[in-house]
């Protein structure tokens, strides 16, 4: 109520038409932030439970959107809160007023904690891990408290439209669940095939892949990529025995062709020569190309076959995750016992 020109009190709506439009903006931003935040929190929980990292490029985009939405929300929340508080502070429904004051205070805490968590050099830059941990906890809890206080505030006044809120909560949960399902997959495993014979494919070599599947040849031949940062190591490798360990080495080419021919005559297949491939031919061996009979054909232009020319690549050594043994304890002579 406000004083009119003749001293009469004039009724002022707590939320008039203009303020209602501003409230719509606040609701819209809060709804978008609810979906956004549900996903971000879900990723943090997933990382905590699994010990894995899921903060990929998409996560960073969503996080940037969180910052932008948070900044956009500051002015509408503060302006609406101040005007709404001025219009409603003296109303007789004290229960609604108290809940509204608590809601506005919690909203300010939410916004302030969000600003303090950002790293704006020269403006806001809190580096203390303990302080940041407390601020993060407050920032995560504040929206939940604000939602609860909003319900209390509205229960003391006009009837709530529960359906809209529940639908939007469902959208937030569905979005987070869908993104978690997507991010919990490893794209590197998509369309990867395995040998028809399973682990038997690798025998008598002791070398294995961790999954038991083939590794795409292009994944094993990333030497140019490695050279972008390690050019000195790449130059040394380019003239080494590792580089010329496979079908690009004339002495080995003669030996392995003879071995493959002898194995085929004895067993009807070239599987026995895989014993050599575990060390000498990792790219055709782990990609599944080693059994290709063209490698035995003297007329075949091996120089044009990238897998035959790859040798022991950077990835081959640096992707080893386990070494079984370097002795004859397994009954097989050699040191190719690695995964």
């Amino acid at each position: 109520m406000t004083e009119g020109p003749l001293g009469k009190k004039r009724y002022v709506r707590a939320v008039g038409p203009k303020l209602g439009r501003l409230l719509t903006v606040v609701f819209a931003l809060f709804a978008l932030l609810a979906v956004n935040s549900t996903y971000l929190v879900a990723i943090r929980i997933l990382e905590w439970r699994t010990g894995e990292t899921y903060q990929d490029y998409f996560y960073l985009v969503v996080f940037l959107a969180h910052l932008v939405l948070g900044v956009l929300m500051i002015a509408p929340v503060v302006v609406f809160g101040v005007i709404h508080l001025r219009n409603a502070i003296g109303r007789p429904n004290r229960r609604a007023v108290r809940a509204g004051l608590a809601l506005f205070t919690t909203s300010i805490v939410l916004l302030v904690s969000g600003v303090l968590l950002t790293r704006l050099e020269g403006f806001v830059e809190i580096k203390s891990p303990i302080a940041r941990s407390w601020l993060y906890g407050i920032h995560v809890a504040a929206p939940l408290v604000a939602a609860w206080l909003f319900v209390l505030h509205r229960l003391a006044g006009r009837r709530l439209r529960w359906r809209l809120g529940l639908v939007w909560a469902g959208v937030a949960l569905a979005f987070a669940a869908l993104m978690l399902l997507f991010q919990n997959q490893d794209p590197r495993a998509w369309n990867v095939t395995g040998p028809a014979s399973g682990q038997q494919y690798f025998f008598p070599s002791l070398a294995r892949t961790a999954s038991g599947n083939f590794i795409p040849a292009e994944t094993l031949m990333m030497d140019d990529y490695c050279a972008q940062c390690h050019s000195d190591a790449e130059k040394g490798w380019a003239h080494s025995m590792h580089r010329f360990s496979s079908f690009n080495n004339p002495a080995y080419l003669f030996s392995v062709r003879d071995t493959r021919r002898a194995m085929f005559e004895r067993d009807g297949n070239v599987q026995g020569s895989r014993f050599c491939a575990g060390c000498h031919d990792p790219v055709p061996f782990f990609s599944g190309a080693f059994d290709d009979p063209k490698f035995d054909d003297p007329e075949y232009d091996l120089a044009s076959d990238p897998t035959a020319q790859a040798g022991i690549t950077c990835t081959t050594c640096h992707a080893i995750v386990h070494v079984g043994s370097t002795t004859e304890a397994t009954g097989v002579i050699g040191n190719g016992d690695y995964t």
Side-chain angles (χ1 to χ4, degrees):
M1 304 291 284
T2 60
E3 292 291 334
L6 300 177
K8 296 182 178 180
K9 290 187 177 182
R10 181 171 58 88
Y11 177 77
V12 177
R13 295 179 60 182
V15 180
K18 293 183 179 179
L19 201 57
R21 288 192 286 271
L22 183 59
L23 180 60
T24 300
V25 173
V26 172
F27 279 156
L29 290 172
F30 185 83
L32 291 173
L33 274 169
V35 176
N36 177 286
S37 302
T38 301
Y39 165 77
L40 295 177
V41 172
I43 288 292
R44 293 293 294 269
I45 293 174
L46 183 63
E47 290 183 339
W48 172 69
R49 289 291 302 273
T50 64
E52 301 290 336
T53 298
Y54 294 92
Q55 296 183 26
D56 58 5
Y57 182 79
F58 180 76
Y59 175 92
L60 295 178
V61 171
V62 176
F63 184 77
L64 177 60
H66 186 81
L67 294 177
V68 172
L69 288 170
V71 171
L72 292 176
M73 198 169 186
I74 293 176
V77 168
V78 172
V79 172
F80 174 84
V82 170
I83 297 176
H84 184 51
L85 180 63
R86 186 189 64 185
N87 292 344
I89 190 66
R91 292 178 180 261
N93 190 343
R94 305 314 298 170
R95 181 180 169 189
V97 171
R98 286 193 294 269
L101 282 170
L103 173 59
F104 185 49
T105 302
T106 304
S107 300
I108 297 299
V109 170
L110 172 62
L111 295 174
V112 171
S113 62
V115 171
L116 292 178
L117 280 170
T118 60
R119 295 180 183 270
L120 300 177
E121 188 174 355
F123 178 62
V124 177
E125 198 169 6
I126 296 178
K127 298 181 179 180
S128 169
I130 297 177
R132 293 190 65 82
S133 179
W134 275 97
L135 283 171
Y136 179 77
I138 292 171
H139 193 65
V140 171
L144 302 177
V145 176
W148 174 65
L149 289 171
F150 173 76
V151 172
L152 292 182
H153 180 60
R154 291 299 301 273
L155 286 175
R158 297 176 62 183
R159 183 179 178 183
L160 276 170
R161 288 184 288 180
W162 292 99
R163 181 176 297 179
L164 181 61
L166 292 175
V167 168
W168 201 250
V171 169
L173 292 174
F175 174 76
L178 184 63
M179 290 299 101
L180 286 177
L181 178 64
F182 180 77
Q183 285 186 254
N184 206 22
Q185 301 181 52
D186 187 350
R188 295 170 298 182
W190 294 352
N191 301 318
V192 172
T193 59
S197 57
Q199 289 288 346
Q200 184 65 21
Y201 164 82
F202 301 102
F203 185 80
S205 170
L206 299 180
R208 301 286 189 272
T209 61
S211 66
N213 295 329
F214 292 132
I215 300 175
E218 58 270 20
T219 301
L220 293 169
M221 298 187 296
M222 300 173 61
D223 307 307
D224 291 340
Y225 175 79
C226 300
Q228 294 178 24
C229 293
H230 305 284
S231 58
D232 53 341
E234 193 274 339
K235 288 177 182 177
W237 166 84
H239 304 285
S240 69
M241 289 186 289
H242 281 175
R243 174 68 179 84
F244 297 99
S245 69
S246 189
F247 294 92
N248 54 354
N249 184 310
Y252 175 72
L253 176 61
F254 172 82
S255 175
V256 74
R257 272 180 169 168
D258 191 56
T259 300
R260 287 162 65 91
R261 177 187 57 78
M263 293 295 101
F264 188 81
E265 291 177 354
R266 188 190 72 180
D267 304 327
N269 57 60
V270 297
Q271 183 169 336
S273 62
R274 296 172 189 169
F275 176 78
C276 309
C279 288
H280 284 269
D281 314 293
V283 175
F285 182 52
F286 290 127
S287 65
F290 186 74
D291 286 347
D292 194 329
K294 67 185 180 183
F295 287 144
D296 299 335
D297 186 355
E299 301 299 323
Y300 179 67
D301 182 16
L302 283 169
S304 65
D305 190 321
T307 67
Q309 300 296 310
I312 300 174
T313 62
C314 302
T315 306
T316 301
C317 286
H318 290 281
I320 291 176
V321 296
H322 177 72
V323 175
S325 69
T326 57
T327 68
E328 299 179 28
T330 57
V332 181
I333 301 174
N335 63 347
D337 187 2
Y338 67 91
T339 302

